[in-house]
Amino acid sequence: MSPFWRSHDRRNEDLNDEIRAHLEMATRDRIARGESPEEAARNARREFGDVTTVREVTGDMWSGQSLDRLMQDLRWAIRSVTRAPGFALVAILTLALGIGANTAIFSVVNGVLLEPLPFPHSNQLVFITSQFPTLGFDQFPVDAAEYLEFHERNRSFSDVGAYVTSAVNIGAAGQPPARVNSGIATASLFHTLGVSPRMGRAFTDEETRPNAAPVAVLSSELWQSTFAGERDIVGRQIDVDGVKTTVVGVMPPGFDVHDQNVKIWLPLTLDPAQRQQYRGGHFLLLIGRLASNVTLARARVELQSLLAQWPAQDGADPNAAPGAPGFVHTPTTTKHRLRYDDLQKDVVGSIGTALVVLQAAVGLVLLIACANMANLMLMRAETRHKELAVRAALGAGRGRLMRQFVTESLVFSLAGGLAGLALAYWGVHALVAANAGSIPRASSVALDGRVLLFTLLLSITTGLLFGLAPLLHLSTRSIGLTLRDAGSRTTAAASRNRVRRGLVVAEMAFAVMLVVGAGLLLRSFWNLMRVDSGFDHSHLTTFGVVLPLATYRDSTRPVAFFNDLTGRLGAVPGVQSVAAMSGLPPRRQVNANDTSIEGYVPTPNGPAQNVDYYQYVTSNYVSTMGIPVVAGRAFGPSDGPLSTPVVMINQTMAKLFYENTSPVGRRVQPGGSKVWFTIVGVLKDVKQGGVDSRTGTELYFDYEQQPATRGFAPLNMNVVIRSPLEPAALATTVRRTVNALDPTLPIVSFRSMDDVFSDSVSRPRFLAQLLGIFAVVALALAAIGTYGVLAYSVAVRRRELGIRMALGSSQQGLLSLVLRQGMALAALGLVAGLLGALAVTRLASSLLFGVKPADPLTFIGVAVFMMVVAFLACLVPARRATRVDPLVALKAE
Amino acid sequence: MPLSRIELLQGTLDMIVLQTLRWGPRHGYGLVQMIRTNSRGVLQVDTGSLYPALHRLEREGSIAASWEISENRQRVRVYRLTPSGKKRLAAERSKWEQLSEAISGIFVPPPQEET
């Protein structure tokens, strides 16, 4: 023990001994005067007065050092907290909820928005994409030729890497093949990101040239999971999509790009001599590292001039139309621009706004909790006025009393913060686990030092916030008055009432804002759920199959495989229909393609001859998916490999290019093809790119006709099974059927189509759910606050209410008196809250879907709902007021 | 004016304690008894104020305390005046005399010179 403690404890003991001696002497004297021993002891004690207070105040005299004083305040605070355990429990739980929720959300904000990306000097990293303003593409991949030119010519970036993500089948001896995300990257990507492999090496430039021996770099996770972390992995050959590939390195744990969960890195094969052939095929994403001393703004300017010279350097005629002689596909000739974004901002994406909204929402919840606490402390201070008055009379100044009050509220808020931390720890895990797909960079979400500091500061601020409120009206004068006065009729009491009512109005206003916000998000989510996806996605089971190029190079083989597979699965009892398609809605990436449309003459302001989605489908596609045919017909048995090449289009494409005429019988020619395809039917629009985005133009090709017409058939296909059976019931059959056809094929994303759709709106659902929970908590706290203040005011006014009763007020009259009072506060809060919501919801408009930030229905609904809640909160204390017995109330005074 | 009464009491309590200790060292209970006797029962010192006052004076250095065994063989804390306490008492006393003289002057004004 430190000397400080020793002296402190000794002084306490001394004082106790001294008081004991005093009492003994007084008792003895009283006995000598003829009192009985018991009587004497009792009287001596009464004469001495409040021993505890004397002890505390005397102790104060000794507390010279601030630490000593602090310890004393703390003891006082802890003692007064433990004297009312029920109150303490409620207070600490309320605060734990408020602080815990704030900590949980902040740790997500911290991990996602504040924590830098796990690359050295990550603030220098820039995400480079292209923009096609005339086509409405804001962020689109760049083509390989552009990458090469950019890589060679720019001066703003110290290095630039390109990549594209895909998925491959990985085979390891003795294990079923696994489908994993792959990153196909240039050697320069690793230099750009500034990360070296933990074992072996990254690619060399030579390994990205055509005809180089296949190599791969594994992620640490894949090395551990599939290859059991074997030390001799570097130099070994593994099976990647059926190709023997040499492992040259293993990346450090957690290495990824753009949160894509990439498990294996493969070289992007580029031949600089072939660059003219790469033009127009936009599929690469670029990451650049800004040279030191170059800002993003300066890089933009520099690259703008670089782009202007681009056509001339390539010998292009800037005025030539696409396809005309002299036309070279460069950014300036096709009127697209390069776009530069801070990499972190891009990785985080739209969740940034959502997180800010959530943080603001939990902040409001905490404010409401603080208002409640302030009210509780205020009422407690009232009941302790006598104690305070004694302390003030004994020389404790206003500052001293204030410090003690604040120390007490800090004990509450820090205890609440500690409990909140535990809640947050659990909450963050639950949050991340339940929304793995909705939170980017989820792996960097943790309760780290910054989060702990945040919680500490939050607890202190919270404590000060509600600890100081009761003191606003605590003056030495008001305490002096209390000594003589019950205090209920003094001006101090009146102003305390004002503070209490103000707090209720504020609570109500904050709660209204939260409920409006939650209401808007719920309506958005509801709207998203009701968007017509264009087909019937119930009773559909889907899975993906990717055929390795090595064994399916001959393009008739994939067609045979999928014919076989759909045929066999279609014969399974309980299965109604089976089809395969290349792109699965609703999260398809646009695969925009130049497409010649016969008879359509592009105008400067009209749409370019470009189709957003190419979709390759087997013959049962339309019936299996349940897509209505709007005009013409679907593919049928007459459309074979050797018959007339046919396509179907969607309604949006029909409207865009054919306006009021019928497209059936007209012809289109897909980019890079010499074959004209005849349109046989128009299908209802399918939400390929997500229920919340615009519907693009779409062209359907018959999968069977591809080898004959275009010389290839896509290898990456999605199978859909229409059946009333659950996916789980179909799983074994599907696995057995696929294995029977080719045992090396993994089955991926096996699930019901309902789940696929539900997942596609998981982020708005996650937002609506969280905000909904916060709104409910806020509502409950506000209701409790209203109830508490009203109940207290009824208790204080028992005498007045009793007199009113005695003078003939009816119970009805009293009921409405108290109700009016409570509802007036609620109404004031409601108006303030609605106005606040009106001002704030606009900021979150990017999160809304199909509903305006000032949606009248939501606002009116919330207003009615809140008034009902407030009414219920007022009803109980109001009914209690009517049960005041006038005689009892008057006698009690 | 309850407030000024408290302040007055506080200020005078120190002086009364110091003055009583001039007659010799005393423990707390003895002080209470002696003040009551000497004031013929008019001044009743509230123990709730006395001990804080004693400890405050001790911290200031006006009085010193030590544990002794009383005539009843009881361990008691005995307070005695220190030299600085004596000085303080002298100052308090002259202040008090000035004050009471002034107040007396108000009740019985001195004869005024004709002008």
Side-chain angles (χ1 to χ4, degrees), chain A residues 11-29:
Chain A
R11 249 189 332 253
N12 262 346
E13 253 168 63
D14 277 2
L15 187 61
N16 284 340
D17 286 350
E18 194 175 4
I19 292 171
R20 203 177 309 124
H22 182 113
L23 289 173
E24 277 171 23
M25 285 187 282
T27 310
R28 210 164 26 238
D29 281 0

Side-chain angles (χ1 to χ4, degrees), chain A residues 661-710:
Chain A
T661 61
S662 169
V664 176
R666 311 279 281 273
R667 299 196 306 168
V668 297
Q669 189 185 52
S673 165
K674 300 271 181 279
V675 183
W676 286 94
F677 289 76
T678 306
I679 298 171
V680 293
V682 178
L683 300 185
K684 185 176 171 183
D685 284 336
V686 170
K687 283 286 180 188
Q688 299 283 2
V691 289
D692 57 344
S693 46
R694 74 182 173 98
T695 309
T697 51
E698 188 170 9
L699 202 49
Y700 294 91
F701 296 93
D702 189 331
Y703 192 62
E704 257 185 288
Q705 290 186 335
Q706 296 313 298
T709 54
R710 306 183 64 197

Side-chain angles (χ1 to χ4, degrees), chain A residues 796-841:
Chain A
V796 167
R797 291 166 63 199
R798 272 163 65 85
R799 185 185 157 91
E800 178 209 323
L801 296 173
I803 292 175
R804 280 175 191 267
M805 284 280 256
L807 292 180
S809 261
S810 66
Q811 290 203 341
Q812 221 79 58
L814 285 191
L815 190 73
S816 74
L817 179 81
V818 176
L819 273 181
R820 251 202 324 271
Q821 197 183 21
M823 293 308 278
L825 292 183
L828 210 60
L830 181 68
V831 171
L834 290 178
L835 288 176
L838 212 54
V840 170
T841 49

Side-chain angles (χ1 to χ4, degrees), chain A residues 419-493:
Chain A
L421 216 52
L423 265 178
Y425 179 78
W426 169 82
V428 162
H429 280 265
L431 209 66
V432 170
N435 300 283
S438 307
I439 305 174
R441 309 190 61 202
S443 58
S444 50
V445 172
L447 296 181
D448 62 6
R450 191 162 17 189
V451 174
L452 293 181
L453 189 69
F454 171 85
T455 311
L456 180 67
L457 290 179
L458 196 66
S459 304
I460 291 173
T461 317
T462 304
L464 291 178
L465 215 56
F466 69 77
L468 287 175
L471 297 175
L472 291 177
H473 296 270
L474 178 80
S475 63
T476 341
R477 202 175 114 73
S478 74
I479 291 165
L481 288 171
T482 318
L483 269 181
R484 293 175 309 152
D485 201 339
S488 58
R489 281 172 305 247
T490 59
T491 48

